[in-house]
Structures are given as structure tokens and as C-alpha cells.
Short mmCIF file of all heavy atoms in Angstrom, two decimals:
data_model
loop_
_atom_site.label_atom_id
_atom_site.label_comp_id
_atom_site.label_asym_id
_atom_site.label_seq_id
_atom_site.Cartn_x
_atom_site.Cartn_y
_atom_site.Cartn_z
N MET A 1 136.40 66.29 102.94
CA MET A 1 135.30 65.56 102.29
C MET A 1 134.53 66.44 101.31
O MET A 1 134.18 66.05 100.25
CB MET A 1 134.29 65.12 103.44
CG MET A 1 133.13 64.38 102.88
SD MET A 1 133.67 62.80 102.20
CE MET A 1 132.13 62.13 101.76
N ARG A 2 134.31 67.72 101.71
CA ARG A 2 133.61 68.69 100.86
C ARG A 2 134.38 68.89 99.59
O ARG A 2 133.81 68.94 98.49
CB ARG A 2 133.37 69.99 101.61
CG ARG A 2 132.57 71.02 100.78
CD ARG A 2 132.20 72.23 101.68
NE ARG A 2 131.37 73.12 101.01
CZ ARG A 2 131.73 74.14 100.31
NH1 ARG A 2 133.02 74.41 100.22
NH2 ARG A 2 130.90 74.96 99.72
N GLU A 3 135.72 69.05 99.67
CA GLU A 3 136.55 69.37 98.52
C GLU A 3 136.50 68.13 97.59
O GLU A 3 136.53 68.30 96.36
CB GLU A 3 137.99 69.58 98.97
CG GLU A 3 138.96 69.90 97.84
CD GLU A 3 140.39 70.18 98.26
OE1 GLU A 3 140.51 70.71 99.31
OE2 GLU A 3 141.28 69.89 97.44
N THR A 4 136.47 66.97 98.13
CA THR A 4 136.39 65.71 97.34
C THR A 4 135.05 65.65 96.47
O THR A 4 135.07 65.35 95.29
CB THR A 4 136.50 64.43 98.21
OG1 THR A 4 137.76 64.48 98.90
CG2 THR A 4 136.43 63.17 97.34
N ILE A 5 133.99 65.99 97.15
CA ILE A 5 132.74 66.02 96.43
C ILE A 5 132.69 67.10 95.34
O ILE A 5 132.24 66.84 94.25
CB ILE A 5 131.60 66.31 97.44
CG1 ILE A 5 131.44 65.05 98.40
CG2 ILE A 5 130.25 66.53 96.71
CD1 ILE A 5 130.51 65.30 99.54
N ILE A 6 133.28 68.21 95.62
CA ILE A 6 133.36 69.28 94.57
C ILE A 6 134.22 68.88 93.45
O ILE A 6 133.90 69.10 92.27
CB ILE A 6 133.82 70.62 95.22
CG1 ILE A 6 132.80 71.19 96.16
CG2 ILE A 6 134.23 71.65 94.22
CD1 ILE A 6 133.23 72.34 97.02
N THR A 7 135.34 68.23 93.74
CA THR A 7 136.26 67.79 92.68
C THR A 7 135.53 66.68 91.80
O THR A 7 135.65 66.78 90.57
CB THR A 7 137.55 67.18 93.33
OG1 THR A 7 138.17 68.13 94.12
CG2 THR A 7 138.46 66.66 92.23
N ILE A 8 134.84 65.79 92.39
CA ILE A 8 134.17 64.76 91.59
C ILE A 8 133.05 65.42 90.80
O ILE A 8 132.87 65.04 89.59
CB ILE A 8 133.52 63.75 92.54
CG1 ILE A 8 134.71 62.85 93.21
CG2 ILE A 8 132.57 62.81 91.82
CD1 ILE A 8 134.26 61.99 94.31
N ALA A 9 132.35 66.35 91.34
CA ALA A 9 131.31 67.06 90.57
C ALA A 9 131.93 67.87 89.36
O ALA A 9 131.36 67.88 88.27
CB ALA A 9 130.48 67.96 91.47
N ASN A 10 133.06 68.46 89.64
CA ASN A 10 133.75 69.18 88.53
C ASN A 10 134.15 68.26 87.44
O ASN A 10 133.94 68.52 86.21
CB ASN A 10 134.92 69.96 89.02
CG ASN A 10 134.56 71.19 89.79
OD1 ASN A 10 133.46 71.69 89.64
ND2 ASN A 10 135.48 71.63 90.66
N PHE A 11 134.77 67.14 87.78
CA PHE A 11 135.16 66.09 86.77
C PHE A 11 133.96 65.55 85.98
O PHE A 11 134.01 65.32 84.78
CB PHE A 11 136.00 65.07 87.37
CG PHE A 11 137.42 65.47 87.56
CD1 PHE A 11 138.04 65.54 88.82
CD2 PHE A 11 138.29 65.92 86.55
CE1 PHE A 11 139.21 65.92 89.11
CE2 PHE A 11 139.52 66.36 86.78
CZ PHE A 11 140.06 66.36 88.03
N ALA A 12 132.90 65.30 86.73
CA ALA A 12 131.67 64.80 86.06
C ALA A 12 131.12 65.81 85.06
O ALA A 12 130.67 65.45 83.98
CB ALA A 12 130.62 64.44 87.13
N GLY A 13 131.16 67.06 85.47
CA GLY A 13 130.68 68.21 84.54
C GLY A 13 131.62 68.21 83.32
O GLY A 13 131.09 68.34 82.17
N LEU A 14 132.86 68.18 83.49
CA LEU A 14 133.86 68.24 82.33
C LEU A 14 133.70 67.02 81.44
O LEU A 14 133.62 67.19 80.24
CB LEU A 14 135.26 68.35 82.88
CG LEU A 14 135.68 69.64 83.47
CD1 LEU A 14 137.07 69.54 84.15
CD2 LEU A 14 135.72 70.77 82.44
N LEU A 15 133.53 65.86 82.02
CA LEU A 15 133.36 64.62 81.24
C LEU A 15 132.01 64.67 80.52
O LEU A 15 131.99 64.28 79.31
CB LEU A 15 133.47 63.41 82.20
CG LEU A 15 133.36 62.09 81.46
CD1 LEU A 15 134.61 61.90 80.53
CD2 LEU A 15 133.42 60.96 82.47
N GLY A 16 131.00 65.15 81.13
CA GLY A 16 129.65 65.18 80.53
C GLY A 16 129.68 66.15 79.32
O GLY A 16 129.14 65.96 78.33
N THR A 17 130.38 67.33 79.44
CA THR A 17 130.52 68.26 78.38
C THR A 17 131.20 67.61 77.19
O THR A 17 130.76 67.77 76.04
CB THR A 17 131.25 69.52 78.83
OG1 THR A 17 130.60 70.05 79.97
CG2 THR A 17 131.34 70.53 77.78
N TRP A 18 132.29 66.86 77.44
CA TRP A 18 133.02 66.25 76.40
C TRP A 18 132.15 65.27 75.69
O TRP A 18 132.07 65.16 74.43
CB TRP A 18 134.28 65.63 76.96
CG TRP A 18 135.06 64.77 75.99
CD1 TRP A 18 135.38 65.05 74.67
CD2 TRP A 18 135.65 63.53 76.28
NE1 TRP A 18 136.08 64.04 74.11
CE2 TRP A 18 136.25 63.10 75.06
CE3 TRP A 18 135.68 62.71 77.36
CZ2 TRP A 18 137.00 61.90 74.98
CZ3 TRP A 18 136.39 61.51 77.24
CH2 TRP A 18 136.97 61.11 76.06
N VAL A 19 131.50 64.39 76.41
CA VAL A 19 130.61 63.37 75.89
C VAL A 19 129.47 63.96 75.07
O VAL A 19 129.16 63.47 73.94
CB VAL A 19 130.05 62.40 76.99
CG1 VAL A 19 128.94 61.52 76.44
CG2 VAL A 19 131.16 61.63 77.55
N MET A 20 128.92 65.08 75.58
CA MET A 20 127.78 65.70 74.89
C MET A 20 128.18 66.25 73.50
O MET A 20 127.61 65.99 72.49
CB MET A 20 127.30 66.86 75.75
CG MET A 20 126.20 67.73 75.07
SD MET A 20 125.76 69.10 76.02
CE MET A 20 127.20 70.12 75.90
N PHE A 21 129.39 66.97 73.48
CA PHE A 21 129.82 67.53 72.20
C PHE A 21 130.27 66.41 71.21
O PHE A 21 130.04 66.50 70.06
CB PHE A 21 131.03 68.52 72.40
CG PHE A 21 130.53 69.81 72.85
CD1 PHE A 21 131.09 70.44 73.98
CD2 PHE A 21 129.55 70.61 72.22
CE1 PHE A 21 130.68 71.70 74.45
CE2 PHE A 21 129.13 71.79 72.67
CZ PHE A 21 129.70 72.38 73.76
N THR A 22 130.86 65.30 71.75
CA THR A 22 131.26 64.24 70.92
C THR A 22 129.98 63.61 70.35
O THR A 22 129.95 63.23 69.15
CB THR A 22 132.11 63.23 71.70
OG1 THR A 22 133.27 63.92 72.25
CG2 THR A 22 132.53 62.03 70.91
N ALA A 23 128.97 63.35 71.16
CA ALA A 23 127.80 62.74 70.67
C ALA A 23 127.13 63.61 69.59
O ALA A 23 126.58 63.03 68.61
CB ALA A 23 126.84 62.47 71.85
N TRP A 24 127.04 64.92 69.85
CA TRP A 24 126.46 65.79 68.85
C TRP A 24 127.20 65.76 67.50
O TRP A 24 126.69 65.84 66.45
CB TRP A 24 126.36 67.15 69.36
CG TRP A 24 125.20 67.39 70.33
CD1 TRP A 24 124.25 66.55 70.63
CD2 TRP A 24 125.08 68.52 71.20
NE1 TRP A 24 123.39 67.10 71.60
CE2 TRP A 24 123.89 68.31 72.02
CE3 TRP A 24 125.79 69.72 71.40
CZ2 TRP A 24 123.45 69.20 72.88
CZ3 TRP A 24 125.37 70.68 72.30
CH2 TRP A 24 124.18 70.35 73.06
N THR A 25 128.57 65.63 67.63
CA THR A 25 129.38 65.57 66.41
C THR A 25 129.11 64.35 65.67
O THR A 25 128.94 64.34 64.43
CB THR A 25 130.91 65.67 66.73
OG1 THR A 25 131.15 66.91 67.53
CG2 THR A 25 131.80 65.65 65.57
N VAL A 26 129.06 63.22 66.34
CA VAL A 26 128.81 61.93 65.70
C VAL A 26 127.42 61.86 65.08
O VAL A 26 127.25 61.35 63.93
CB VAL A 26 129.03 60.76 66.70
CG1 VAL A 26 128.60 59.47 66.16
CG2 VAL A 26 130.50 60.66 67.16
N GLU A 27 126.45 62.35 65.81
CA GLU A 27 125.09 62.37 65.33
C GLU A 27 125.00 63.24 64.03
O GLU A 27 124.31 62.82 63.05
CB GLU A 27 124.15 62.93 66.45
CG GLU A 27 122.65 62.96 66.00
CD GLU A 27 121.78 63.64 66.99
OE1 GLU A 27 122.24 64.22 67.99
OE2 GLU A 27 120.56 63.49 66.83
N ALA A 28 125.55 64.42 64.14
CA ALA A 28 125.51 65.26 62.96
C ALA A 28 126.19 64.65 61.69
O ALA A 28 125.67 64.69 60.61
CB ALA A 28 126.14 66.63 63.25
N ALA A 29 127.32 64.02 61.95
CA ALA A 29 128.06 63.41 60.86
C ALA A 29 127.22 62.22 60.29
O ALA A 29 127.17 62.00 59.10
CB ALA A 29 129.39 62.89 61.33
N ALA A 30 126.56 61.39 61.16
CA ALA A 30 125.77 60.32 60.75
C ALA A 30 124.64 60.75 59.88
O ALA A 30 124.20 60.07 59.00
CB ALA A 30 125.32 59.50 61.96
N LYS A 31 124.03 61.94 60.19
CA LYS A 31 122.91 62.45 59.44
C LYS A 31 123.35 63.20 58.20
O LYS A 31 122.53 63.65 57.42
CB LYS A 31 122.12 63.45 60.33
CG LYS A 31 121.36 62.68 61.41
CD LYS A 31 120.52 63.74 62.21
CE LYS A 31 119.77 63.05 63.29
NZ LYS A 31 119.01 63.95 64.08
N GLY A 32 124.68 63.26 57.98
CA GLY A 32 125.18 63.94 56.79
C GLY A 32 125.23 65.45 56.89
O GLY A 32 125.42 66.14 55.90
N ASN A 33 125.11 66.01 58.07
CA ASN A 33 125.13 67.45 58.28
C ASN A 33 126.59 67.89 58.60
O ASN A 33 126.99 67.95 59.80
CB ASN A 33 124.22 67.84 59.45
CG ASN A 33 123.97 69.31 59.53
OD1 ASN A 33 124.69 70.13 58.94
ND2 ASN A 33 122.89 69.72 60.17
N ALA A 34 127.39 68.18 57.56
CA ALA A 34 128.77 68.43 57.69
C ALA A 34 129.00 69.79 58.43
O ALA A 34 129.99 69.88 59.16
CB ALA A 34 129.45 68.47 56.31
N ILE A 35 128.16 70.75 58.28
CA ILE A 35 128.34 72.10 58.92
C ILE A 35 128.24 71.92 60.39
O ILE A 35 129.12 72.41 61.22
CB ILE A 35 127.37 73.12 58.33
CG1 ILE A 35 127.70 73.32 56.86
CG2 ILE A 35 127.45 74.33 59.16
CD1 ILE A 35 126.72 74.25 56.17
N THR A 36 127.24 71.24 60.91
CA THR A 36 127.01 71.04 62.32
C THR A 36 128.16 70.23 62.92
O THR A 36 128.69 70.51 63.93
CB THR A 36 125.67 70.39 62.60
OG1 THR A 36 124.59 71.19 62.03
CG2 THR A 36 125.44 70.28 64.09
N ALA A 37 128.56 69.15 62.17
CA ALA A 37 129.67 68.28 62.66
C ALA A 37 130.93 69.14 62.77
O ALA A 37 131.73 69.01 63.74
CB ALA A 37 129.85 67.15 61.74
N ALA A 38 131.18 70.03 61.81
CA ALA A 38 132.38 70.87 61.79
C ALA A 38 132.32 71.88 62.89
O ALA A 38 133.38 72.27 63.42
CB ALA A 38 132.51 71.57 60.45
N LEU A 39 131.17 72.25 63.35
CA LEU A 39 131.03 73.16 64.45
C LEU A 39 131.32 72.57 65.78
O LEU A 39 131.91 73.12 66.70
CB LEU A 39 129.71 73.90 64.51
CG LEU A 39 129.41 74.90 63.39
CD1 LEU A 39 127.99 75.38 63.38
CD2 LEU A 39 130.39 76.07 63.42
N PHE A 40 130.69 71.35 65.98
CA PHE A 40 130.79 70.71 67.24
C PHE A 40 132.16 69.88 67.46
O PHE A 40 132.63 69.70 68.57
CB PHE A 40 129.70 69.74 67.49
CG PHE A 40 128.40 70.37 67.80
CD1 PHE A 40 127.21 70.09 67.11
CD2 PHE A 40 128.31 71.33 68.75
CE1 PHE A 40 126.03 70.70 67.43
CE2 PHE A 40 127.16 71.99 69.17
CZ PHE A 40 126.00 71.64 68.35
N SER A 41 132.84 69.56 66.38
CA SER A 41 134.04 68.74 66.46
C SER A 41 135.13 69.52 67.33
O SER A 41 135.73 68.94 68.18
CB SER A 41 134.58 68.38 65.07
OG SER A 41 135.73 67.65 65.17
N PRO A 42 135.42 70.75 66.95
CA PRO A 42 136.45 71.49 67.72
C PRO A 42 136.07 71.70 69.23
O PRO A 42 136.90 71.62 70.10
CB PRO A 42 136.62 72.82 67.13
CG PRO A 42 135.98 72.70 65.78
CD PRO A 42 134.98 71.55 65.83
N LEU A 43 134.73 71.77 69.49
CA LEU A 43 134.33 71.94 70.86
C LEU A 43 134.54 70.67 71.63
O LEU A 43 134.88 70.63 72.82
CB LEU A 43 132.85 72.35 70.87
CG LEU A 43 132.52 73.71 70.33
CD1 LEU A 43 131.01 73.89 70.27
CD2 LEU A 43 133.18 74.78 71.17
N ALA A 44 134.31 69.49 70.97
CA ALA A 44 134.57 68.23 71.58
C ALA A 44 136.04 68.03 71.93
O ALA A 44 136.44 67.55 73.01
CB ALA A 44 134.09 67.05 70.67
N VAL A 45 136.95 68.43 70.95
CA VAL A 45 138.36 68.39 71.22
C VAL A 45 138.74 69.22 72.36
O VAL A 45 139.58 68.88 73.20
CB VAL A 45 139.19 68.66 69.91
CG1 VAL A 45 140.60 68.80 70.14
CG2 VAL A 45 138.83 67.57 68.83
N ALA A 46 138.25 70.49 72.36
CA ALA A 46 138.62 71.44 73.39
C ALA A 46 138.15 70.85 74.74
O ALA A 46 138.88 71.00 75.80
CB ALA A 46 137.97 72.76 73.14
N ALA A 47 136.95 70.31 74.94
CA ALA A 47 136.40 69.76 76.10
C ALA A 47 137.30 68.61 76.58
O ALA A 47 137.58 68.42 77.75
CB ALA A 47 135.02 69.33 75.98
N ALA A 48 137.73 67.78 75.65
CA ALA A 48 138.61 66.67 75.99
C ALA A 48 139.96 67.14 76.54
O ALA A 48 140.51 66.62 77.48
CB ALA A 48 138.85 65.74 74.78
N ILE A 49 140.55 68.23 75.91
CA ILE A 49 141.82 68.81 76.41
C ILE A 49 141.67 69.37 77.73
O ILE A 49 142.53 69.19 78.66
CB ILE A 49 142.30 69.80 75.37
CG1 ILE A 49 142.70 69.11 74.08
CG2 ILE A 49 143.47 70.64 75.94
CD1 ILE A 49 143.03 70.04 72.95
N VAL A 50 140.58 70.12 78.01
CA VAL A 50 140.34 70.78 79.31
C VAL A 50 140.15 69.63 80.38
O VAL A 50 140.81 69.74 81.51
CB VAL A 50 139.05 71.60 79.30
CG1 VAL A 50 138.72 72.10 80.69
CG2 VAL A 50 139.39 72.92 78.43
N PHE A 51 139.45 68.54 80.10
CA PHE A 51 139.35 67.45 80.95
C PHE A 51 140.65 66.81 81.28
O PHE A 51 140.97 66.64 82.46
CB PHE A 51 138.31 66.46 80.42
CG PHE A 51 138.20 65.21 81.34
CD1 PHE A 51 137.40 65.33 82.45
CD2 PHE A 51 138.74 64.09 81.03
CE1 PHE A 51 137.21 64.25 83.23
CE2 PHE A 51 138.64 62.90 81.86
CZ PHE A 51 137.82 62.99 82.95
N ALA A 52 141.47 66.57 80.30
CA ALA A 52 142.73 65.89 80.49
C ALA A 52 143.68 66.73 81.27
O ALA A 52 144.39 66.23 82.15
CB ALA A 52 143.36 65.57 79.10
N VAL A 53 143.81 67.99 80.97
CA VAL A 53 144.76 68.95 81.70
C VAL A 53 144.31 69.14 83.15
O VAL A 53 145.08 69.06 84.04
CB VAL A 53 144.80 70.28 80.98
CG1 VAL A 53 145.48 71.33 81.87
CG2 VAL A 53 145.45 70.15 79.64
N THR A 54 142.99 69.24 83.40
CA THR A 54 142.42 69.31 84.75
C THR A 54 142.73 68.08 85.50
O THR A 54 143.15 68.15 86.68
CB THR A 54 140.94 69.61 84.72
OG1 THR A 54 140.68 70.78 83.91
CG2 THR A 54 140.44 69.87 86.12
N LEU A 55 142.50 66.95 84.91
CA LEU A 55 142.80 65.66 85.65
C LEU A 55 144.30 65.46 85.92
O LEU A 55 144.65 65.14 86.99
CB LEU A 55 142.29 64.50 84.76
CG LEU A 55 142.50 63.10 85.36
CD1 LEU A 55 141.74 62.94 86.67
CD2 LEU A 55 142.05 62.01 84.38
N ALA A 56 145.16 65.79 84.92
CA ALA A 56 146.54 65.72 85.12
C ALA A 56 147.00 66.61 86.21
O ALA A 56 147.90 66.31 87.01
CB ALA A 56 147.28 66.02 83.83
N GLU A 57 146.48 67.86 86.27
CA GLU A 57 146.86 68.78 87.29
C GLU A 57 146.44 68.26 88.66
O GLU A 57 147.14 68.35 89.68
CB GLU A 57 146.27 70.20 87.04
CG GLU A 57 146.71 71.16 88.08
CD GLU A 57 146.08 72.55 87.92
OE1 GLU A 57 145.11 72.63 87.09
OE2 GLU A 57 146.55 73.50 88.53
N LYS A 58 145.23 67.75 88.81
CA LYS A 58 144.71 67.28 90.07
C LYS A 58 145.45 66.05 90.54
O LYS A 58 145.68 65.87 91.74
CB LYS A 58 143.19 66.88 89.92
CG LYS A 58 142.53 66.67 91.18
CD LYS A 58 142.47 67.95 92.01
CE LYS A 58 141.70 67.80 93.28
NZ LYS A 58 141.78 69.02 94.14
N LEU A 59 145.95 65.19 89.65
CA LEU A 59 146.72 64.03 89.96
C LEU A 59 148.18 64.33 90.29
O LEU A 59 149.00 63.50 90.73
CB LEU A 59 146.65 62.96 88.91
CG LEU A 59 145.23 62.33 88.72
CD1 LEU A 59 145.26 61.37 87.50
CD2 LEU A 59 144.82 61.62 90.01
N GLY A 60 148.59 65.59 90.01
CA GLY A 60 149.96 66.01 90.30
C GLY A 60 150.90 65.78 89.16
O GLY A 60 152.14 65.92 89.25
N TRP A 61 150.42 65.29 88.01
CA TRP A 61 151.22 65.05 86.88
C TRP A 61 151.62 66.33 86.08
O TRP A 61 152.60 66.41 85.38
CB TRP A 61 150.55 64.16 85.83
CG TRP A 61 150.21 62.75 86.39
CD1 TRP A 61 150.74 62.18 87.55
CD2 TRP A 61 149.28 61.93 86.00
NE1 TRP A 61 150.17 60.95 87.75
CE2 TRP A 61 149.24 60.71 86.74
CE3 TRP A 61 148.42 61.89 84.84
CZ2 TRP A 61 148.45 59.65 86.55
CZ3 TRP A 61 147.64 60.81 84.63
CH2 TRP A 61 147.67 59.69 85.42
N LEU A 62 150.80 67.38 86.27
CA LEU A 62 151.02 68.61 85.55
C LEU A 62 150.92 69.79 86.63
O LEU A 62 149.78 70.33 86.80
CB LEU A 62 150.00 68.77 84.48
CG LEU A 62 150.09 69.89 83.52
CD1 LEU A 62 151.41 69.75 82.68
CD2 LEU A 62 148.93 69.97 82.55
N PRO A 63 151.98 70.18 87.26
CA PRO A 63 151.90 71.17 88.28
C PRO A 63 151.76 72.58 87.72
O PRO A 63 152.76 73.28 87.60
CB PRO A 63 153.22 71.02 89.02
CG PRO A 63 154.16 70.49 88.07
CD PRO A 63 153.37 69.61 87.09
N LEU A 64 150.50 72.97 87.36
CA LEU A 64 150.28 74.30 86.80
C LEU A 64 150.22 75.33 87.95
O LEU A 64 150.59 76.48 87.78
CB LEU A 64 149.01 74.32 85.97
CG LEU A 64 149.12 73.50 84.70
CD1 LEU A 64 147.81 73.49 83.97
CD2 LEU A 64 150.20 73.97 83.80
N SER A 65 149.51 75.00 89.07
CA SER A 65 149.32 75.95 90.15
C SER A 65 150.16 75.55 91.33
O SER A 65 150.32 74.33 91.61
CB SER A 65 147.88 76.00 90.53
OG SER A 65 147.42 74.77 90.91
N LYS A 66 150.73 76.53 91.99
CA LYS A 66 151.58 76.16 93.10
C LYS A 66 151.04 76.74 94.40
O LYS A 66 150.42 77.67 94.54
CB LYS A 66 153.00 76.72 92.90
CG LYS A 66 153.63 76.05 91.73
CD LYS A 66 155.08 76.51 91.57
CE LYS A 66 155.61 75.70 90.41
NZ LYS A 66 157.03 75.84 90.29
#
């Protein structure tokens, strides 16, 4: 039970990080601030990749750790 709660909290944190960077990228682009959008865009992509790889590993689709 404890491991399940920790796993859910980890995924919530990863998902929140991705959403935050994506929102900041969209907001900066909407305001016409290309430099800020260019800084946050790679962070949003990296957060999405980390979330996807972590989820795939936890579901057993990507056996990285043995």
C-alpha cells in the first residue's frame, strides 16, 4: 500500500512538472515572448519524456531495471 501511494505521488509530480512547463511555454508564446518560450519548450519536452519512460517502466513495457 505504501509503495502504491509513493508511486502515485511520483507520477503526480512528474505530470505536474510537465503541465507546468507546457503552460509556461504556451503563456510565453501567447504573450509574444519568444525567448522565454524557447527556454521552457525543451523543458516541457524533457518532462514529457521522463514521465512517459517512467510510466512505461512501471507498467512493464520498458524493462530498464531488473
Side-chain angles (χ1 to χ4, degrees):
M1 179 68 175
R2 183 173 188 266
E3 183 179 328
T4 302
I5 293 171
I6 291 171
T7 300
I8 291 170
N10 285 338
F11 282 119
L14 288 172
L15 184 61
T17 302
W18 173 44
V19 169
M20 177 186 66
F21 282 128
T22 302
W24 284 347
T25 302
V26 170
E27 180 185 13
K31 290 181 178 179
N33 192 344
I35 294 173
T36 304
L39 289 173
F40 285 131
S41 180
L43 295 173
V45 171
I49 291 170
V50 169
F51 178 76
V53 168
T54 305
L55 181 62
E57 182 182 15
K58 193 65 178 174
L59 293 174
W61 300 342
L62 187 65
L64 295 177
S65 60
K66 293 185 179 193

